Amino acid sequence: MEFREFNSANLIKPLNFHFYQDNLILSELGKEAIFLFHEFDINTGDSLSSFVKFGGGPSEVLSPISTGLINDDLYIYDLTTQKIVSLALDQNKNINNEYTLNDFYMWVTFESDSTILGVGNRKSFAKIERLNFKNKSLGKEVAFHTHIPDQYSTEFLQDICQTLLVTDPSGENYSLLYRYIDAVEIFKSNRKNSVLIQGPYFNELSYEKAYTGEMFVMLHTEETTENFIYAYATEKYIYGLYSGGKAIERESQTSNTIFVYDWEGNPVNEIILSRKILSFGITPLDDKIFSYDLDKGEIIYADLF
């Protein structure tokens, strides 16, 4: 699938893509950036605005690892400061609300204007936690890891079972794509149990266990494989960027292969891209993919299906 240039934007490390009305909104990571969010006209590629300054002060963000759109509002989870902020895209794009979380999550998705689904809480054996971030109360519906060996601490388990978490636009269905375990797990609102799907290459989990003086952690071996390294979901499909490379190699953090599943867990397609990418976004109609070429410094896109 051949990429074409959309905009020659000089960005540091673009991560998350969103589609708002007729515009593309793109977030980036990197302390060298002045603004961390950028808006483009999706039809012309023209740059429209940049907003949310990098920093640790009020109305600033350090590492917007997870983002989500709820109606006209953009929600941002700052991994470094463990806070959630929101701003109105149809107004001045200034941060108008901030909420500090009690626990650290590796990744979150925004279920509503008050709740998130979070993964990677190192104090918990949960696969997914539902949290009302406004009053900081945990929801009742939580997916837990089971059959845990006695010697596994919560920190060590969360290291091994690192996942990406995506939801469909309704927020009713969600999926975990595992980083070191070659698997995809799907949860649907109309189904009591999740569906676990074997990944494409049956890669075995390989790791070493080390003690830091405070906790046990996972160490990579020469055989540790990176499986799913980024994910995106639409109403119809789950898209997983698949590496298959060794975790000790820098090249394993990008890939040109995306595996597509429907929400019943059926494999739909394997997309081979013309360039290796770090992340991507899919338009709501599943007709275009947008990404960023780190080598050439340009936003790129391609037609799907």
Side-chain angles (χ1 to χ4, degrees), residues 117-176:
L117 298 175
V119 297
N121 182 354
R122 297 171 70 83
K123 300 177 183 178
S124 170
F125 284 118
K127 290 181 182 180
I128 304 170
E129 290 184 339
R130 177 176 280 109
L131 175 73
N132 184 315
F133 57 84
K134 291 184 177 179
N135 62 24
K136 301 179 184 179
S137 61
L138 283 175
K140 294 182 179 179
E141 298 179 17
V142 178
F144 284 93
H145 292 283
T146 57
H147 309 295
I148 304 168
D150 292 339
Q151 68 271 28
Y152 278 26
S153 64
T154 55
E155 298 91 351
F156 185 59
L157 180 73
Q158 295 292 0
D159 272 354
I160 293 174
C161 297
Q162 288 184 39
T163 56
L164 300 162
L165 172 64
V166 292
T167 61
D168 69 358
S170 72
E172 295 183 355
N173 306 310
Y174 40 100
S175 176
L176 296 174

Side-chain angles (χ1 to χ4, degrees), residues 82 110 117 134 175 189 198 221 228 248 274 277:
Q82 292 177 228
F110 292 89
L117 298 175
K134 291 184 177 179
S175 176
S189 58
Q198 172 64 54
T221 71
F228 292 100
I248 59 175
S274 59
I277 59 174

Side-chain angles (χ1 to χ4, degrees), residues 164 177-179 226-232 238-244 252-261 271 273 275-280 289 291:
L164 300 162
L177 296 89
Y178 287 79
R179 180 178 178 184
E226 295 268 10
N227 295 293
F228 292 100
I229 55 175
Y230 192 80
Y232 198 93
I238 302 160
Y239 297 80
L241 183 63
Y242 192 88
S243 169
S252 68
Q253 302 305 307
T254 59
S255 175
N256 67 337
T257 304
I258 295 176
F259 287 97
V260 186
Y261 303 86
I271 301 172
L273 306 169
R275 313 185 202 182
K276 287 192 172 185
I277 59 174
L278 179 73
S279 64
F280 62 94
I289 177 173
S291 187

Side-chain angles (χ1 to χ4, degrees), residues 91-124:
Q91 298 178 23
N92 56 17
K93 298 186 177 67
N94 292 326
I95 290 174
N96 50 36
N97 291 294
E98 297 193 12
Y99 309 91
T100 301
L101 304 185
N102 292 330
D103 292 318
F104 171 86
Y105 294 99
M106 287 294 296
W107 190 273
V108 307
T109 62
F110 292 89
E111 193 175 37
S112 73
D113 61 2
S114 60
T115 57
I116 58 171
L117 298 175
V119 297
N121 182 354
R122 297 171 70 83
K123 300 177 183 178
S124 170

